[in-house]
Amino acid sequence: MALKLTDLKTEVHNDWCPGCGDFGILSAVQMALAEMNLDPHRVAMVSGIGCSGKTPHFVKTYGVHTLHGRSLPFAAGVKLANPGLEVIDCGGDGDGLGIGAGHFVNAGRRNVDLAYILFDNGVYGLTKGQASPTLKLGMKTKSLPLPNINSGINPIMLALASGYTFVARGYAYDVRHLKEMIKRAILHKGMAFLDVLQPCPTYNDLQTKEYWSGEGQLDAAGKQIPRTYKLETIGYDGVVKTADDTEREEKIKQAMMKAFEFGDHTPIGVFYQNEWIPTYEERLNQRMPSYRANPPAVERIARDDGTPVANVSKLLDELRVN
Amino acid sequence: MIGGAQGSGVDTSANIFGRAAAQGGLHIFGNREYYSNIKGEHSYFQVRLSRKKVRSHVNTVDLLATFDDETIIRHAGEVRKDGGIIYDPVLGGNEIKDMPTIEPNVLRRIYVELDKNNLPHTVDGVLEEARRRGVHVYPIPYLDILKQVGEKFGENSLSSLTKMVNVMAVAASFALVDYPQDQVNEALKRQFRAKPKVVEINTAAVTAAYDYVREKYNGGFGFKLEPNPTTEKRIFVRGSSIIGIAKILAGCRLQTYYPITPASDESEYLEAHENIELNGIMADEAKTLQGSMVVVQTEDEIAAITMAVGGALTGTRSSTSTSGPGFSLMAEGLGWAGMNEVPLVVTLYQRGGPSTGLPTRHEQGDLKFALNIGHGDFPRIVLASGDLEEAFYDVTTAFNYAEKYQVPVIHIVDKAMANSDLSYQMFDPSRSKIERGSLLAGKVGNGVDDEFPRFKLTANGVSPRPPIGAEGGIYWNTGDEHDENGHISEDPENRVLNMDKRMGKLVLAAQEIPLEEKVHFFGPKDAPITIVSWGSTKGAILDAMDSLQEEGISVNFLQVRLISPFPTEYVKEVLFRAKKVINIEMNYTGQLGGVIREMTCFPVEQYVVKYNGRPMSQEEIHDSVKEIAEGTAPKRVVLTNGA
């Protein structure tokens, strides 16, 4: 039976600010799940702390609203224990690139088959608008007493450097495009990173919906030129087609060049995708041939009377001295 | 005692020595001491052999086998009258001032002793001092003998030959006490199983050492170590691996860790044994199907605990192992597990704190931390094993508690346990039974993917728990206070109901957990002295009780194992009934004593504590208890033995 969008909605009151970019992301997630027709109980939505952290409560799948910055290791734990699940992680840029930066980098090294959606708005919303890791140097959003004294992280670049095998960007108010990006991130075999430009109407008065729509940037006819453009419209192809190292390097270089573009001409779409790198699960299965067939969450560890199923007598015999 | 520079094979020789003795039916207790260092610093292995069970070390050394000059300098003073020191005579002229790894304060102590006796500041000076006290010294030219052995095998590389000094020292020790050489050969074979050539040349070295000792010192030591054949199946156990085996047995299938001494050995053991043999539960399939122990080395301990919690949410028995500094980082993850009622086991290998403290040394300094880690009130079970045999069975118990009460369980062990080597009668895995509590399986509820009341308020506070992935079981977790489906709720009434639900599970656990899992009681009920303690002091206390009894001092011992929920009523009853209570612990403040005061109002007043990083010896406990019995001890006895 096909899933309807309403099957994926909860009745939990949504307390995001009116006009928040999060609504666009939430809709795109629900639309993607409905179109993919994934059984809700086979899906786990994981999140960190902040406005974005509430997302799972609005989606009727298993929800794991975790700690600030820690959603990636939680998500990896769920996935590695039960590789049959679809695990989607979401968090803000403060969550993922500030307090959780170490986890963000190391998730790339592992390449667990997860999708990570970054709600990237340049501010810490829930704590009233402090500068977050993607806010550029010298920018002064409205609740900052002084301009930002730190440089901003380039999330695309960081993901590429860390080993993410799918790196893409979407925009919260281009829901149809974003939905496609989410679907591709979920379908991607490996660790997927999706950076979502997400206006915060309350605290970020610089990168607003109007800004991204092209306010103040006009063509000869006086029409606004949007500040985002789609990579596919310029014939860009970030997908690695062979296991060849040279091709991989070329595609990463190309993606890095694109990652520098930000502001008046900001690319959205798939920067890089490589399914030739084995996932962590595949690496485990290489060493443990029963891992996929009998994963930790599925293995029956005891008989009905509580007798353990594991046979440790050989291990104990190795310790025997007589 | 066997000692040498780190990296020179002290660990290997400890294993060979221990195995050879245990094969002969002797009981063995060994303790490894080493610096936080890879190569060069001093390390030693202290081993005690007996026909009856031994559980602790003693202050004095009967036989000191040295690989290097520093071991002689550091430990000669511990060798008793009529004891022996084995060493290579080429080291005799070495000057103490040229040994850079000896700390200045240790040097000063040694110089004072040598100056008092007008002896030179050399190895020979220290040996002469020992000789004057009645210690036998046995010069054995290791390298000369090894060169001869090497010639037979065409091996003349000095560095390869030096690698066998450790085996020479072990062989010379056994030869001095006339222990059968075939046991040493057998232990060698086990140690170097995969390398037949290494076995061959080392066996030749053992023979050469035996021949040399027999020729030079035949019977001179005056003590013969005889095997004690037994029909009992015995194992030779190293701490970290036995806990690993127990985790495999208990059904743990996700272990996360960040490298830390002394906890990581366990995770490495698990990784090396990640494919698990199953006892055919699923008929034909099972013949080929194995279990998979997923071991993940994470980027830090925060990731370690949160990843394990993620695994636990899927119904997988999950755990992480760490030591003090790592445990400090786990506070937030543990609180989240408490808030979301996640069964999780943290194996805490205590070591010397605070901060980096004494990374490779022993302490029981984390009891109160384990009881209080994390902000806010949430239930956690804290279980402290007293020795490796207890730890083996406690691992399954810890996972059972975690699942039955849906709480994080902190299983406390320590460096002394992790790095001790003991002989035991074969453990019995069939004694361990797995209890999974209210974990649901298959389709949950009406099987429709609607919201499931995971945190339903039940009479006993434990709610049915669907693993993530169960059809019909959809629910939410959140670190926020939440309603029964796991959605955020700040409603005051809901808050009180859920706090009561979660904390009430500790009351339930206290009611249900049998007394024999909470405490152990040893000795005559009405003894005039009652020792109360916890954890690995158990061995030295039991050994001291035996020796005190021989002197007519009767002592009983209350070992508290379950620290949370605390067995208040029982402890109260024992302590208020006791005539004289002595609290013994390996930490500065007497942490259990504080907990006892808090929980029972019993005024613990007599403490025996130790915090120099070295485990308690039998005599230390014997002597301090005796002094307390005689009324000559201060209220707080501080023990200091150990090098």
Side-chain angles (χ1 to χ4, degrees):
Chain A
M1 201 177 68
L3 266 182
K4 298 188 298 292
L5 207 51
T6 48
D7 295 333
L8 287 157
K9 292 184 175 173
T10 64
E11 283 165 19
V12 175
H13 167 67
N14 191 323
D15 59 2
W16 287 330
C17 305
C20 179
D22 288 0
F23 287 105
I25 305 175
L26 173 62
S27 297
V29 166
Q30 287 163 330
M31 285 161 64
L33 292 177
E35 283 185 20
M36 293 172 83
N37 206 24
L38 295 170
D39 280 337
H41 69 270
R42 304 300 298 165
V43 177
M45 289 278 298
V46 183
S47 67
I49 290 293
C51 298
S52 60
K54 295 178 181 175
T55 310
H57 292 284
F58 310 130
V59 183
K60 202 185 282 178
T61 64
Y62 280 97
V64 191
H65 176 196
T66 73
L67 291 159
H68 201 21
R70 318 298 173 213
S71 63
L72 279 167
F74 271 100
V78 173
K79 181 72 180 182
L80 294 179
N82 192 346
L85 300 176
E86 281 303 338
V87 182
I88 303 162
D89 188 359
C90 40
D93 58 303
D95 193 80
L97 303 178
I99 188 168
H103 307 308
F104 181 84
V105 169
N106 284 278
R109 291 202 303 145
R110 282 190 280 267
N111 201 33
V112 176
D113 187 7
L114 301 170
Y116 181 48
I117 305 171
L118 192 80
F119 293 38
D120 183 358
N121 64 7
V123 292
Y124 285 89
L126 206 52
T127 49
K128 303 198 191 311
Q130 296 83 358
S132 74
T134 58
L135 192 69
K136 307 269 189 238
L137 177 66
M139 290 183 109
K140 185 184 173 304
T141 48
K142 71 182 183 193
S143 63
L144 291 185
L146 291 166
N148 187 15
I149 197 168
N150 296 301
S151 296
I153 289 173
N154 185 324
I156 300 287
M157 199 85 93
L158 184 61
L160 289 166
S162 304
Y164 282 72
T165 50
F166 176 95
V167 179
R169 181 184 280 143
Y171 171 50
Y173 286 113
D174 189 342
V175 176
R176 273 178 54 189
H177 177 264
L178 181 58
K179 174 201 72 186
E180 290 307 317
M181 289 297 109
I182 292 171
K183 277 164 67 176
R184 284 188 64 176
I186 295 172
L187 288 170
H188 171 71
K189 178 180 77 68
M191 184 75 219
F193 172 61
L194 178 59
D195 180 37
V196 184
L197 304 171
Q198 176 243 329
C200 172
T202 306
Y203 293 111
N204 190 333
D205 53 341
L206 302 175
Q207 283 137 353
T208 59
K209 190 177 175 185
E210 291 72 24
Y211 169 85
W212 291 117
S213 308
E215 192 178 55
Q217 178 167 269
L218 307 177
D219 64 11
K223 208 179 137 213
Q224 287 190 352
I225 308 168
R227 287 192 165 81
T228 59
Y229 74 96
K230 298 189 176 77
L231 283 168
E232 57 268 31
T233 60
I234 58 158
Y236 180 94
D237 180 6
V239 180
V240 179
K241 307 285 193 307
T242 67
D244 179 37
D245 279 350
T246 324
E247 191 199 347
R248 179 173 58 89
E249 282 166 23
E250 284 307 318
K251 289 273 157 75
I252 290 175
K253 278 183 208 159
Q254 167 191 269
M256 287 206 166
M257 294 310 290
K258 277 289 159 204
F260 281 113
E261 293 178 16
F262 195 85
D264 288 346
H265 203 56
T266 307
I268 59 174
V270 177
F271 285 68
Y272 173 75
Q273 181 173 17
N274 185 353
E275 293 191 316
W276 298 94
I277 310 281
T279 62
Y280 201 84
E281 299 89 306
E282 286 169 339
R283 297 171 204 174
L284 288 176
N285 207 64
Q286 279 256 307
R287 302 190 333 200
M288 296 184 282
S290 295
Y291 170 65
R292 278 199 188 274
N294 194 26
V298 173
E299 186 192 327
R300 198 170 151 201
I301 58 168
R303 293 170 194 280
D304 291 339
D305 65 355
T307 308
V309 175
N311 183 355
V312 296
S313 54
K314 273 190 197 149
L315 302 178
L316 286 171
D317 281 346
E318 278 177 20
L319 308 178
R320 277 189 68 173
V321 288
N322 61 355
Chain B
M1 180 183 286
I2 302 169
Q6 241 149 264
S8 69
V10 177
D11 218 36
T12 310
S13 56
N15 227 338
I16 297 169
F17 191 94
R19 276 200 162 273
Q23 278 160 204
L26 295 168
H27 277 289
I28 154 162
F29 174 88
N31 166 43
R32 278 177 285 147
E33 288 292 344
Y34 51 95
Y35 277 77
S36 178
N37 155 268
I38 296 174
K39 278 189 179 170
E41 294 275 4
H42 173 66
S43 71
Y44 69 91
F45 175 66
Q46 196 172 7
V47 58
R48 187 177 178 193
L49 306 175
S50 173
R51 284 166 175 265
K52 65 179 181 74
K53 184 95 199 129
V54 270
R55 294 158 286 213
S56 60
H57 71 279
V58 286
N59 291 351
T60 51
V61 175
D62 294 319
L63 194 54
L64 174 65
T66 64
F67 306 167
D68 65 349
D69 45 14
E70 183 173 344
T71 305
I72 304 167
I73 305 302
R74 283 182 182 269
H75 297 288
E78 293 165 57
V79 181
R80 66 165 173 81
K81 182 175 176 295
D82 300 326
I85 299 174
I86 299 170
Y87 74 109
D88 191 325
V90 296
L91 302 173
N94 290 10
E95 297 206 31
I96 300 174
K97 68 169 169 51
D98 298 333
M99 300 172 198
T101 44
I102 303 183
E103 299 88 341
N105 62 326
V106 177
L107 281 182
R108 277 196 296 277
R109 266 194 329 250
I110 293 163
Y111 288 159
V112 166
E113 202 56 36
L114 290 172
D115 292 346
K116 225 168 32 191
N117 295 297
N118 239 340
L119 290 167
H121 294 184
T122 60
V123 168
D124 280 336
V126 169
L127 287 170
E128 179 55 28
E129 194 273 334
R131 206 179 276 126
R132 288 180 193 173
R133 287 192 294 110
V135 173
H136 305 285
V137 292
Y138 299 103
I140 297 175
Y142 301 137
L143 267 183
D144 291 348
I145 300 173
L146 282 170
K147 276 179 195 157
Q148 290 166 20
V149 173
E151 268 169 31
K152 284 184 212 154
F153 288 81
E155 176 62 77
N156 48 21
S157 137
L158 199 62
S159 70
S160 297
L161 293 175
T162 311
K163 273 188 194 151
M164 295 192 293
V165 164
N166 61 344
V167 169
M168 289 288 290
V170 167
S173 316
F174 276 130
L176 265 181
V177 292
D178 205 14
Y179 191 68
Q181 193 193 328
D182 54 347
Q183 296 289 6
V184 185
N185 294 348
E186 180 59 31
L188 266 180
K189 254 190 241 161
R190 289 290 294 261
Q191 180 70 29
F192 300 117
R193 238 182 311 205
K195 306 171 191 158
K197 277 202 159 156
V198 178
V199 173
E200 207 186 334
I201 190 164
N202 275 283
T203 309
V206 169
T207 305
Y210 261 81
D211 290 347
Y212 186 89
V213 170
R214 280 196 186 119
E215 190 188 322
K216 285 260 181 188
Y217 308 116
N218 196 14
F221 188 55
F223 177 81
K224 192 170 156 60
L225 180 68
E226 283 176 49
N228 185 33
T230 171
T231 51
E232 188 179 287
K233 254 201 226 174
R234 294 253 177 93
I235 49 177
F236 181 51
V237 176
R238 205 153 250 218
S240 41
S241 53
I242 202 68
I243 294 179
I245 295 174
K247 283 192 175 176
I248 293 169
L249 179 70
C252 172
R253 292 296 176 267
L254 176 64
Q255 164 101 351
T256 57
Y257 80 108
Y258 183 77
I260 192 166
T261 306
S264 357
D265 291 348
E266 178 204 309
S267 299
E268 280 160 32
Y269 179 89
L270 288 174
E271 195 166 353
H273 298 84
E274 59 186 2
N275 284 304
I276 297 164
E277 189 180 327
L278 304 178
N279 272 327
I281 192 166
M282 284 154 286
D284 0 323
E285 255 193 326
K287 292 200 179 81
T288 52
L289 210 59
Q290 295 171 311
S292 300
M293 166 69 79
V294 176
V295 179
V296 186
Q297 181 188 329
T298 56
E299 55 273 25
D300 56 34
E301 283 89 350
I302 298 172
I305 192 163
T306 51
M307 200 177 286
V309 171
L313 291 174
T314 68
T316 301
R317 285 195 155 186
S318 306
S319 74
T320 180
S321 292
T322 191
S323 186
F327 194 49
S328 290
L329 285 182
M330 292 185 176
E332 57 171 334
L334 208 78
W336 195 94
M339 186 59 150
N340 286 282
E341 310 193 40
V342 184
L344 171 80
V345 172
V346 179
T347 311
L348 173 60
Y349 288 81
Q350 298 171 105
R351 69 184 209 192
S355 189
T356 311
L358 297 168
T360 61
R361 310 292 180 177
H362 173 51
E363 194 164 276
Q364 298 178 305
D366 301 341
L367 182 72
K368 284 201 168 177
F369 186 44
L371 287 172
N372 294 294
I373 179 172
H375 54 281
D377 287 319
F378 64 89
R380 89 280 311 269
I381 288 178
V382 178
L383 178 67
S385 298
D387 56 38
L388 295 177
E389 186 171 18
E390 279 185 31
F392 179 77
Y393 298 107
D394 284 347
V395 168
T396 300
T397 307
F399 279 102
N400 289 348
Y401 290 167
E403 290 206 292
K404 279 169 78 177
Y405 305 110
Q406 301 181 5
V407 292
V409 175
I410 301 158
H411 180 202
I412 306 189
V413 289
D414 56 45
K415 187 265 163 186
M417 286 162 76
N419 290 158
S420 59
D421 304 78
L422 282 97
S423 53
Y424 282 104
Q425 189 175 349
M426 174 61 96
F427 296 156
D428 177 11
S430 73
R431 258 179 60 188
S432 292
K433 292 280 180 258
I434 291 174
E435 298 172 61
R436 309 213 62 181
S438 305
L439 175 68
L440 301 172
K443 276 193 186 183
V444 168
N446 55 11
V448 177
D449 276 345
D450 212 335
E451 308 202 2
F452 182 88
R454 156 74 184 100
F455 303 104
K456 193 178 174 60
L457 298 170
T458 57
N460 67 5
V462 178
S463 325
R465 178 171 73 99
I468 287 185
E471 198 169 354
I474 287 177
Y475 75 96
W476 288 261
N477 295 277
T478 173
D480 287 66
E481 187 58 87
H482 42 261
D483 62 20
E484 63 178 13
N485 294 356
H487 289 307
I488 299 169
S489 167
E490 297 189 14
D491 172 56
E493 188 185 331
N494 175 73
R495 162 70 173 179
V496 171
L497 289 170
N498 279 283
M499 283 298 289
D500 293 348
K501 167 201 197 310
R502 288 190 296 268
M503 296 306 289
K505 292 187 296 183
L506 280 185
V507 179
L508 179 72
Q511 283 163 0
E512 290 184 352
I513 294 172
L515 187 63
E516 61 271 23
E517 290 176 16
K518 293 174 173 168
V519 295
H520 286 165
F521 188 86
F522 303 89
K525 208 174 167 192
D526 55 353
I529 291 172
T530 296
I531 292 174
V532 60
S533 190
W534 65 286
S536 68
T537 51
K538 175 187 174 187
I541 292 171
L542 290 178
D543 282 346
M545 281 168 69
D546 288 349
S547 56
L548 285 162
Q549 190 63 52
E550 282 164 20
E551 293 181 25
I553 301 172
S554 177
V555 176
N556 60 36
F557 166 36
L558 171 61
Q559 179 204 353
V560 185
R561 287 168 32 83
L562 191 68
I563 318 287
S564 168
F566 195 75
T568 306
E569 288 314 310
Y570 182 82
V571 173
K572 225 182 202 173
E573 189 194 313
V574 170
L575 297 188
F576 279 103
R577 187 185 69 207
K579 296 178 182 94
K580 172 95 196 159
V581 173
I582 307 173
N583 180 88
I584 300 183
E585 291 180 67
M586 274 294 304
N587 58 55
Y588 184 90
T589 51
Q591 298 188 9
L592 178 69
V595 174
I596 290 172
R597 274 176 175 261
E598 179 187 336
M599 301 306 293
T600 67
C601 293
F602 178 83
V604 180
E605 277 162 0
Q606 179 66 59
Y607 287 87
V608 176
V609 293
K610 189 173 184 182
Y611 43 89
N612 69 350
R614 312 301 190 272
M616 292 182 186
S617 70
Q618 174 178 343
E619 296 103 311
E620 280 187 302
I621 292 177
H622 175 108
D623 296 350
S624 53
V625 169
K626 197 172 165 187
E627 280 164 30
I628 290 164
E630 289 163 354
T632 57
K635 283 291 177 204
R636 181 168 177 271
V637 179
V638 179
L639 307 179
T640 56
N641 172 259

